[in-house]
Amino acid sequence: MALTDLPSLDSLKLTEWTSCGGCAAKWGAALLKDLVAEFPAPTDPSLMVGLAPFDDAAIYKVSDDVAMVSTTDFFPPLVDHPADFGAIAAANACSDVFAMGGSVVMAINVAAFPEDFPREAIVSIFEAGARVVAEAGGAVAGGHTIRNPEPIYGLAVQGVVHPDKIFRKAGARPGDVLLLSKPVGTGLTLACGTEADKRVAIDGMTTINRAAAEALRALDGAVHAVTDVTGYGLAGHSWEMAERSGVRAVVDTAGIVTYPGALEAANAGQRTGGDPRNRDYLAGHLDSSAAPGPEALCFDPQTSGGLLAAVDAAAASDLEAQGFWRVGVVEAGDAQLVLR
């Protein structure tokens, strides 16, 4: 019998071991931005992408043809089954490499567990993470595990990208179409949805962004800016793209594609813990005429969300045929997020 089939795992509920899970456990974006601003500026000319400004991953130029992509992401459980948790955490960590246009090569586990945490659950988490990293094109080559009152798991992921083909948050142009490769609403669905609804969201979160990244790379110069949508929600990550690009990002909230149960929960007034922090991040930068429910979906923290891309309007239909959905458009003007 496989370890993931053991009865002890079926009865284990990881969310009972933690107070806040998934990307909702991230620091608020406003606090993090202030902290990063105090870091010393790097002086190595080979560091192509670092903290000034920060992006989805760091990039270091190794040669004229190869740059290394490096990122890390970890969090407490947001789902109950260890294998689901491991797979979601791994997919989420690999996503930053794909968001930069890279290919995953290697990953290192980052983990912490209570001393009385079931050993079978730890093995299941690690096995699922390794399986997802392999699907992403890489291999888990080691890691570090410490004791901690709450379980935490994620990975430090390394990838490669051509120095001239890096995706960045900056670069969106007026006239571009904004497209996203996954639905939104993971936070609301996991908090308020039925078990069937949650299963759909979990399946989405364990789906890696490799195919989405390959679809974007195939369009070459038609792709102007890319990021992945995670803890700061669709609103926060759209705003970062708008701010870096010096444009208005206009989101059509009537067309938002969601996981089952998310829109119903939002319309009923349900909100997740990260919602107010994400709203604080947009203070002074938001123009919203959206209805409360759809607006809340934009602020819902996402875990292992899709790739958000600003692309030439002529290329949008190619991506829509491959599962991307149309979020909105990019307009000229001072940097701002508009929710309509």
Side-chain angles (χ1 to χ4, degrees):
M1 181 182 292
L3 284 172
T4 51
D5 294 331
L6 290 173
S8 60
L9 297 186
D10 292 336
S11 61
L12 181 68
K13 292 188 178 297
L14 292 185
T15 54
E16 295 180 353
W17 290 73
T18 186
S19 56
C20 183
C23 287
K26 293 173 68 171
W27 265 31
L31 290 172
L32 188 59
K33 186 175 182 179
D34 290 342
L35 177 65
V36 169
E38 298 180 12
F39 280 29
T43 58
D44 189 339
S46 294
L47 184 62
M48 301 182 69
V49 181
L51 291 173
F54 66 90
D55 213 296
D56 290 309
I59 296 186
Y60 190 89
K61 186 174 181 179
V62 178
S63 69
D64 289 342
D65 299 320
V66 178
M68 178 178 66
V69 187
S70 184
T71 183
T72 185
D73 215 314
F74 53 89
F75 43 65
L78 72 166
V79 293
D80 285 323
H81 198 283
D84 288 335
F85 174 45
I88 291 169
N92 184 75
C94 290
S95 181
D96 286 336
V97 173
F98 295 131
M100 302 299 293
S103 300
V104 172
V105 173
M106 184 179 72
I108 304 292
N109 285 327
V110 178
F113 299 105
E115 289 187 274
D116 58 344
F117 197 73
R119 178 185 177 278
E120 294 86 352
I122 297 175
V123 173
S124 181
I125 291 168
F126 285 160
E127 284 183 341
R131 184 175 64 251
V132 167
V133 171
E135 183 184 351
V140 174
H144 186 64
T145 304
I146 65 170
R147 293 173 294 167
N148 195 62
E150 294 189 5
I152 294 171
Y153 175 64
L155 303 103
V157 185
Q158 286 71 49
V160 293
V161 67
H162 193 286
D164 297 332
K165 297 182 179 180
I166 298 168
F167 293 155
R168 301 174 189 260
K169 294 181 180 181
R173 305 172 186 177
D176 281 352
V177 174
L178 296 173
L179 297 141
L180 184 60
S181 65
K182 289 186 183 182
V184 298
T186 63
L188 285 163
T189 293
L190 292 181
C192 308
T194 65
E195 289 305 310
D197 293 340
K198 293 177 184 179
R199 187 67 253 170
V200 175
I202 289 169
D203 289 344
M205 288 185 286
T206 58
T207 300
I208 60 173
N209 282 325
R210 182 176 183 173
E214 290 172 350
L216 292 171
R217 286 198 295 266
L219 295 176
D220 201 18
V223 179
H224 301 146
V226 180
T227 188
D228 63 339
V229 175
T230 55
Y232 306 145
L234 178 59
H237 293 286
S238 297
W239 158 243
E240 288 182 343
M241 186 180 287
E243 180 186 32
R244 302 290 175 80
S245 306
V247 295
R248 286 162 47 97
V250 182
V251 175
D252 175 16
T253 60
I256 290 179
V257 177
T258 71
Y259 286 109
L263 179 58
E264 293 82 357
N267 285 337
Q270 299 292 332
R271 302 291 184 265
T272 51
D275 180 289
R277 292 192 296 273
N278 287 342
R279 291 178 187 272
D280 288 345
Y281 186 37
L282 271 293
H285 308 296
L286 176 67
D287 175 10
S288 178
S289 58
E295 182 184 85
L297 287 167
C298 296
F299 290 100
D300 185 44
Q302 302 304 288
T303 301
S304 190
L307 297 186
L308 176 68
V311 305
D312 188 282
S317 59
D318 290 340
L319 292 174
E320 289 177 295
Q322 297 181 69
F324 283 74
W325 58 275
R326 192 172 294 232
V327 172
V329 296
V330 176
E331 296 180 347
D334 293 337
Q336 188 176 43
L337 176 67
V338 181
L339 302 181
R340 292 178 176 164

